[in-house]
Short mmCIF file of all heavy atoms in Angstrom, two decimals:
data_model
loop_
_atom_site.label_atom_id
_atom_site.label_comp_id
_atom_site.label_asym_id
_atom_site.label_seq_id
_atom_site.Cartn_x
_atom_site.Cartn_y
_atom_site.Cartn_z
N PHE D 25 5.82 23.88 -5.89
CA PHE D 25 6.22 22.57 -5.44
C PHE D 25 6.40 21.63 -6.64
O PHE D 25 5.84 21.95 -7.62
CB PHE D 25 5.23 21.96 -4.37
CG PHE D 25 3.92 21.64 -4.97
CD1 PHE D 25 3.70 20.33 -5.45
CD2 PHE D 25 2.85 22.50 -4.82
CE1 PHE D 25 2.38 20.06 -5.88
CE2 PHE D 25 1.63 22.18 -5.43
CZ PHE D 25 1.50 21.01 -5.88
N GLU D 34 2.79 25.83 -9.78
CA GLU D 34 2.81 27.18 -9.08
C GLU D 34 1.60 27.26 -8.18
O GLU D 34 0.50 26.94 -8.39
CB GLU D 34 2.68 28.30 -10.20
CG GLU D 34 2.73 29.61 -9.58
CD GLU D 34 2.50 30.68 -10.74
OE1 GLU D 34 2.67 30.44 -11.93
OE2 GLU D 34 2.16 31.86 -10.34
N ILE D 35 1.98 27.95 -7.03
CA ILE D 35 0.79 28.22 -6.05
C ILE D 35 0.39 29.68 -6.41
O ILE D 35 1.12 30.68 -6.17
CB ILE D 35 1.35 28.11 -4.60
CG1 ILE D 35 1.81 26.68 -4.38
CG2 ILE D 35 0.40 28.58 -3.53
CD1 ILE D 35 2.68 26.43 -3.09
N GLN D 36 -0.91 29.70 -6.83
CA GLN D 36 -1.32 31.13 -7.06
C GLN D 36 -1.63 32.00 -5.95
O GLN D 36 -1.48 33.20 -5.91
CB GLN D 36 -2.60 30.98 -7.90
CG GLN D 36 -2.53 30.61 -9.35
CD GLN D 36 -2.31 29.11 -9.64
OE1 GLN D 36 -3.11 28.29 -8.96
NE2 GLN D 36 -1.52 28.72 -10.43
N ARG D 37 -2.10 31.29 -4.79
CA ARG D 37 -2.45 32.01 -3.62
C ARG D 37 -2.47 31.11 -2.45
O ARG D 37 -2.76 30.04 -2.50
CB ARG D 37 -3.95 32.63 -3.86
CG ARG D 37 -4.34 33.65 -2.70
CD ARG D 37 -5.46 34.45 -3.31
NE ARG D 37 -6.69 33.54 -3.53
CZ ARG D 37 -7.66 33.37 -2.61
NH1 ARG D 37 -7.62 33.92 -1.43
NH2 ARG D 37 -8.73 32.64 -2.79
N LYS D 39 -4.43 30.74 1.02
CA LYS D 39 -5.64 31.34 1.61
C LYS D 39 -5.63 31.34 3.11
O LYS D 39 -6.25 32.18 3.70
CB LYS D 39 -6.92 30.47 1.26
CG LYS D 39 -7.29 30.55 -0.23
CD LYS D 39 -8.44 29.60 -0.56
CE LYS D 39 -9.67 29.85 0.32
NZ LYS D 39 -10.76 28.94 -0.08
N THR D 57 -3.24 26.30 3.19
CA THR D 57 -4.24 26.13 2.24
C THR D 57 -3.98 26.93 0.96
O THR D 57 -3.98 28.15 1.03
CB THR D 57 -5.64 26.56 2.83
OG1 THR D 57 -5.86 25.87 4.09
CG2 THR D 57 -6.77 26.22 1.78
N CYS D 58 -3.63 26.22 -0.07
CA CYS D 58 -3.11 26.79 -1.34
C CYS D 58 -4.05 26.71 -2.50
O CYS D 58 -4.76 25.67 -2.53
CB CYS D 58 -1.80 26.20 -1.71
SG CYS D 58 -0.52 26.26 -0.37
N ILE D 59 -4.06 27.61 -3.31
CA ILE D 59 -4.80 27.59 -4.65
C ILE D 59 -3.77 27.16 -5.69
O ILE D 59 -2.82 27.91 -5.86
CB ILE D 59 -5.45 28.87 -5.03
CG1 ILE D 59 -6.50 29.19 -3.85
CG2 ILE D 59 -6.28 28.68 -6.30
CD1 ILE D 59 -7.55 28.25 -3.54
N VAL D 60 -3.98 26.02 -6.29
CA VAL D 60 -3.03 25.44 -7.26
C VAL D 60 -3.95 25.11 -8.58
O VAL D 60 -4.85 24.32 -8.34
CB VAL D 60 -2.30 24.15 -6.82
CG1 VAL D 60 -1.38 23.75 -8.03
CG2 VAL D 60 -1.48 24.56 -5.65
N ASN D 61 -3.69 25.72 -9.74
CA ASN D 61 -4.52 25.43 -10.89
C ASN D 61 -6.04 25.58 -10.56
O ASN D 61 -6.87 24.86 -11.06
CB ASN D 61 -4.27 24.10 -11.45
CG ASN D 61 -2.99 23.97 -12.04
OD1 ASN D 61 -2.33 24.93 -12.37
ND2 ASN D 61 -2.39 22.65 -12.06
N GLY D 62 -6.36 26.62 -9.77
CA GLY D 62 -7.73 26.88 -9.50
C GLY D 62 -8.41 26.01 -8.39
O GLY D 62 -9.52 26.20 -8.11
N ARG D 63 -7.59 25.05 -7.79
CA ARG D 63 -8.10 24.16 -6.89
C ARG D 63 -7.43 24.26 -5.53
O ARG D 63 -6.28 24.68 -5.49
CB ARG D 63 -8.03 22.73 -7.39
CG ARG D 63 -8.79 22.39 -8.56
CD ARG D 63 -8.66 21.05 -9.11
NE ARG D 63 -9.03 20.05 -8.07
CZ ARG D 63 -8.62 18.78 -7.98
NH1 ARG D 63 -7.83 18.34 -8.90
NH2 ARG D 63 -8.91 18.04 -7.04
N GLU D 64 -8.15 23.94 -4.37
CA GLU D 64 -7.63 24.11 -3.12
C GLU D 64 -6.82 22.75 -2.74
O GLU D 64 -7.42 21.77 -2.98
CB GLU D 64 -8.80 24.30 -2.15
CG GLU D 64 -8.38 24.92 -0.83
CD GLU D 64 -9.49 25.26 0.08
OE1 GLU D 64 -10.04 26.28 -0.03
OE2 GLU D 64 -10.06 24.27 0.85
N SER D 65 -5.64 23.05 -2.28
CA SER D 65 -4.82 21.99 -1.84
C SER D 65 -4.12 22.29 -0.54
O SER D 65 -3.88 23.43 -0.17
CB SER D 65 -3.69 21.68 -2.92
OG SER D 65 -4.15 21.34 -4.05
N TYR D 66 -3.87 21.20 0.25
CA TYR D 66 -3.12 21.58 1.56
C TYR D 66 -1.65 21.16 1.34
O TYR D 66 -1.37 20.06 0.81
CB TYR D 66 -3.75 20.55 2.69
CG TYR D 66 -5.01 21.03 3.06
CD1 TYR D 66 -6.07 19.96 3.27
CD2 TYR D 66 -5.43 22.30 3.23
CE1 TYR D 66 -7.32 20.30 3.66
CE2 TYR D 66 -6.69 22.63 3.66
CZ TYR D 66 -7.59 21.69 3.92
OH TYR D 66 -8.87 22.09 4.36
N MET D 77 2.50 16.69 1.20
CA MET D 77 1.15 16.76 0.74
C MET D 77 0.45 15.50 0.93
O MET D 77 1.21 14.45 1.17
CB MET D 77 1.09 17.26 -0.62
CG MET D 77 1.71 18.64 -0.87
SD MET D 77 1.60 19.20 -2.67
CE MET D 77 -0.07 19.90 -2.47
N ALA D 80 -3.70 12.24 -3.49
CA ALA D 80 -5.09 12.30 -3.84
C ALA D 80 -5.72 10.93 -3.80
O ALA D 80 -5.11 9.93 -4.13
CB ALA D 80 -5.26 12.78 -5.34
N GLY D 81 -6.84 10.75 -3.25
CA GLY D 81 -7.64 9.46 -3.16
C GLY D 81 -7.19 8.67 -1.91
O GLY D 81 -7.64 7.60 -1.74
#
Side-chain angles (χ1 to χ4, degrees):
F25 65 90
E34 180 185 342
I35 297 168
Q36 283 86 37
R37 186 162 67 94
K39 289 177 56 177
T57 304
C58 302
I59 302 300
V60 180
N61 293 335
R63 296 181 54 204
E64 200 172 270
S65 298
Y66 293 136
M77 299 182 82

